[in-house]
Amino acid sequence: MSEEESPAQRVAIGISFGNSYSSIAYTSGEGKAEVIANEEGDRQIPSILSYVSGEEFQGTQAKAQLVRNAKNTVAYFRDFLGQDFKSIDPTPCHHSAHPIQHESTVAFKIKDKEDDTENTVTVSEITTRHLRKLKNSASDYLGKNVNAAVITVPTNFSDAQKDALSKAAKDAGIEVLQFINEPVAAVLAYDARPEAKLADKNIVVADLGGTRSDVAVIASRGGMYSILATAHDYDVGGAQLDEVLMDYFAKEFLKKWKNGGDPRVDDRASAKLKLESEAVKKALSIGSSANFSVESLSKGFDFTCSINRMRYETISSKVFATFVRLVLNVVEKAQLDPLDISEIILAGGTAHTPRIASSLASAFPESTTVLAPSTSATAINPSELAARGAAIQASLIQEFETEDIDQSTHPMVTVTPHLARAIGVLCISSDESTGVFRHLVEAETPVPVRRTAIIATPREGGDVLVKICEGTRVIKVTKPEPKANGKAADDSDDDEDSDESDEEEELREKTYKVENVLAEAALKGLSKGAKVELQINVAADLSCTFFAREVGGKVAVRGGWKA
Ligand code: ATP
């Protein structure tokens, strides 16, 4: 067991520990996060341990054992940590060692010793062994003993699950500096890039893994992140796409070998079918076709078959649609409109799938950027986001004392007071009665907050009234012009592509409705075309002060109001 190291002696990494895959990352001197390859050269290390005559295998080598040695191969165990047996779903372990109840926890009966006796090994012990391997791979790579980490967890990981993971890590010689939520890690990985611009925005992080999909809507305000809504779906993930392909290839196999037996029925054949289907699925994320090839798939019959991307996308269309629905539902749950979302960050291995990214791009307006390899040249590898974000966080906090880490990092992901509505400004000249609302602080911004903006005044100058108001976002929907003679009014002399493809869509725009005026300031005698610099400070108790002055001029006003 390792005792907590003093900050100066910590060597910290970022760990993403998923049910299907794990990754380890570190931050180099220049603050750049990099994912470390293990001894086998893998950056995505299957979260699997397998035992052969007492020898322990991990990752890809262990995954290969799912065919011949399934009973002594432990997989998909992360979500079992800290849970009692009754509350777990053992379905993903169909092809590996089955979870059993052991006292108040979950365990596996495996032959993990040289003498081949069957032992009961708890999920906590399996996790410790897995994390120890990850730690050793990172230590070998870095040339120094890794003893601390930031580990990513799903947003719905309970305190009991975190405690169990923390203990398992400690037993592996890793001090958990902090758990960070997977979606926050993904946002951090993007925001830490040198070219990133820190803008207030609403982001969706869709983490599409192997056994589950987790989606979060995050408000990013001045470098602070708050989670507005989340959803977790255990029936949507890469495993469902594997199953679609398994069914497809099994049917093709049966067409070719009538006496071959259904490979989905026999355990060993089914394990081979699954492994190769997953490989085909990954190949189809890059290429336009892929080959399925397994020697002795079932009853000694070999099977080779190819599939193109179009076919794959057709047979998987229902699964793809569930991913899109999941994302749209969470946006709705956050009481937002797709127009409120600036970015969708696609994270997790399944996010490599081009059709998922393009379907999401179609479901959201053009103003929403979908950050995935197939839709954005600047996207970060979705499989690396969590580990990279964790490594960045580790480098930021590893020199802090433990108590300071607790204090400094909690507000980032826990609920702090937020503004319920946007705050903005109306600039009105003396001869006008209304003005256009310009928002300065978005709704959901944690307080305290300060924002400064330069705003144009009515052209004539003179006396200008600056009204500071609260506003709510409304979506303005403009119906298409009624069609003349069955055609769009502005399409009258182009009759080639007039039908469905040209279907008129309603125009949806984001605007603000002024709710109430919080303060007013009169700026007198402004020069023609003057600009006004306006600063708003909202304190933690929601009281506010503001300062408005003519840029380059002498006119200035200060004011404020109590919450
Ligand atoms: P979970 O905890 O949900 O099981 P995870 O976080 O452990 O998932 P990830 O690496 O995020 O694992 O996702 C694993 C899934 O991504 C697997 O189903 C895998 O087949 C799939 N995957 C990995 N790479 C690709 C790719 N290039 N194209 C399509 N799918 C991929």
Side-chain angles (χ1 to χ4, degrees):
M1 266 222 234
S2 93
E3 292 305 317
E4 279 178 14
E5 299 289 345
S6 74
Q9 288 160 333
R10 279 189 196 130
V11 178
I13 57 168
I15 299 180
S16 151
F17 166 33
N19 287 298
S20 306
Y21 289 85
S22 298
S23 305
I24 40 181
Y26 78 107
T27 311
S28 64
E30 303 92 58
K32 214 168 158 257
E34 302 216 18
V35 173
I36 299 170
N38 68 1
E39 295 72 4
E40 290 175 82
D42 291 327
R43 289 186 166 75
Q44 271 69 58
I45 303 160
S47 306
I48 304 180
L49 289 177
S50 185
Y51 297 86
V52 181
S53 309
E55 199 179 340
E56 183 177 66
F57 295 94
Q58 186 213 28
T60 304
Q61 285 184 340
K63 194 166 184 171
Q65 293 291 324
L66 286 171
V67 174
R68 290 181 175 278
N69 184 27
K71 283 192 179 147
N72 295 311
T73 304
V74 186
Y76 305 110
F77 54 88
R78 199 259 333 249
D79 280 357
F80 300 162
L81 263 176
Q83 302 236 54
D84 59 32
F85 184 76
K86 283 187 206 80
S87 49
I88 64 158
D89 174 11
T91 322
C93 300
H94 179 67
H95 290 107
S96 55
H98 289 204
I100 55 161
Q101 177 159 15
H102 175 70
E103 292 163 7
S104 60
T105 170
V106 178
F108 301 88
K109 260 205 163 91
I110 47 173
K111 293 178 184 167
D112 62 332
K113 296 272 152 44
E114 222 171 320
D115 61 10
D116 263 358
T117 51
E118 202 166 64
N119 293 307
T120 301
V121 185
T122 63
V123 63
S124 175
E125 172 60 20
I126 288 289
T127 303
T128 297
R129 294 180 189 179
H130 176 60
L131 292 175
R132 193 179 288 130
K133 286 258 183 199
L134 295 178
K135 168 190 149 101
N136 290 345
S137 296
S139 300
D140 282 354
Y141 182 88
L142 296 173
K144 43 193 171 184
N145 182 37
V146 168
N147 52 25
V150 168
I151 303 184
T152 60
V153 289
T155 52
N156 65 345
F157 225 49
S158 67
D159 286 345
Q161 287 177 293
K162 284 183 204 163
D163 288 349
L165 179 50
S166 192
K167 181 179 176 307
K170 196 172 177 198
D171 291 348
I174 302 169
E175 177 197 356
V176 179
L177 298 180
Q178 194 196 12
F179 290 115
I180 60 168
N181 287 323
E182 287 162 350
V184 173
V187 177
L188 265 181
Y190 271 103
D191 279 356
R193 297 197 298 184
E195 67 272 27
K197 291 194 191 81
L198 216 60
D200 287 354
K201 55 193 171 186
N202 296 323
I203 306 164
V204 169
V205 181
D207 186 352
L208 314 176
T211 57
R212 54 185 286 172
S213 289
D214 300 274
V215 184
V217 180
I218 296 179
S220 167
R221 305 283 186 268
M224 295 270 283
Y225 307 115
S226 8
I227 295 175
L228 304 183
T230 57
H232 312 278
D233 196 324
Y234 300 88
D235 297 320
V236 189
Q240 276 65 38
L241 294 170
D242 297 343
E243 263 165 40
V244 170
L245 286 171
M246 285 167 75
D247 282 341
Y248 176 78
F249 291 121
K251 284 178 192 154
E252 292 298 307
F253 175 79
L254 286 168
K255 270 189 217 164
K256 185 163 181 203
W257 304 111
K258 301 245 173 339
N259 303 322
D262 189 336
R264 288 166 294 186
V265 176
D266 174 72
D267 278 352
R268 193 178 280 197
S270 160
K272 285 183 184 176
L273 183 65
K274 181 163 167 66
L275 284 178
E276 187 65 359
S277 295
E278 187 187 358
V280 166
K281 175 187 73 174
K282 289 185 184 178
L284 285 168
S285 290
I286 312 167
S288 57
S289 68
N291 269 335
F292 176 101
S293 177
V294 176
E295 270 180 38
S296 182
L297 175 58
S298 174
K299 297 199 176 163
F301 291 101
D302 300 344
F303 185 56
T304 307
C305 177
S306 78
I307 180 166
N308 64 31
R309 171 132 18 122
M310 209 192 280
R311 171 61 61 95
Y312 167 56
E313 291 181 348
T314 308
I315 58 175
S316 310
S317 59
K318 275 196 190 144
V319 184
F320 292 152
T322 52
F323 284 116
V324 175
R325 245 192 335 269
L326 181 66
V327 174
L328 286 171
N329 286 347
V330 189
V331 173
E332 201 182 316
K333 192 169 164 192
Q335 295 180 339
L336 294 178
D337 185 274
L339 277 168
D340 294 314
I341 306 299
S342 309
E343 281 171 10
I344 299 177
I345 295 177
L346 283 189
T350 302
H352 285 277
T353 313
R355 193 51 184 261
I356 296 177
S358 64
S359 303
L360 278 169
S362 316
F364 277 77
E366 263 175 39
S367 54
T368 308
T369 308
V370 177
L371 289 163
S374 60
T375 47
S376 164
T378 57
I380 300 175
N381 181 346
S383 298
E384 296 192 350
L385 281 168
R388 282 209 209 189
I392 290 161
Q393 185 68 5
S395 74
L396 294 175
I397 62 174
Q398 67 175 342
E399 280 156 25
F400 291 11
E401 295 294 340
T402 310
E403 312 82 64
D404 295 340
I405 293 177
D406 289 345
Q407 285 190 4
S408 69
T409 48
H410 270 187
M412 189 175 77
V413 287
T414 53
V415 180
T416 50
H418 285 66
L419 292 177
R421 292 185 174 138
I423 296 181
V425 63
L426 291 174
C427 240
I428 305 167
S429 66
S430 46
D431 53 357
E432 277 180 322
S433 57
T434 55
V436 177
F437 181 85
R438 169 160 172 201
H439 81 274
L440 294 182
V441 194
E442 285 276 14
E444 302 300 345
T445 300
V447 288
V449 60
R450 169 186 295 180
R451 289 286 183 275
T452 307
I454 306 285
I455 45 179
T457 58
R459 285 190 168 278
E460 296 71 25
D463 296 348
V464 165
L465 186 63
V466 175
K467 288 187 179 186
I468 298 171
C469 319
E470 278 190 319
T472 38
R473 193 270 292 124
V474 283
I475 302 296
K476 188 174 148 209
V477 180
T478 315
K479 296 269 177 215
E481 290 277 306
K483 292 181 180 183
N485 300 329
K487 293 169 79 192
D490 60 351
D491 193 23
S492 53
D493 53 10
D494 180 5
D495 46 19
E496 256 153 43
D497 40 74
S498 56
D499 34 297
E500 310 98 35
S501 63
D502 218 17
E503 214 169 75
E504 291 286 309
E505 274 186 22
E506 56 187 25
L507 183 67
R508 304 179 81 250
E509 292 166 278
K510 192 167 139 177
T511 61
Y512 288 86
K513 177 169 164 256
V514 176
E515 293 291 348
N516 49 324
V517 178
L518 299 168
E520 290 184 345
L523 292 162
K524 292 195 178 286
L526 294 181
S527 43
K528 198 172 173 195
K531 289 201 163 55
V532 170
E533 182 188 323
L534 181 74
Q535 189 181 84
I536 295 185
N537 296 292
V538 185
D541 65 358
L542 296 175
S543 65
C544 187
T545 56
F546 70 88
F547 172 66
R549 72 173 182 96
E550 179 183 2
V551 177
K554 295 205 178 86
V555 187
V557 193
R558 252 174 225 288
W561 66 91
K562 289 254 172 271

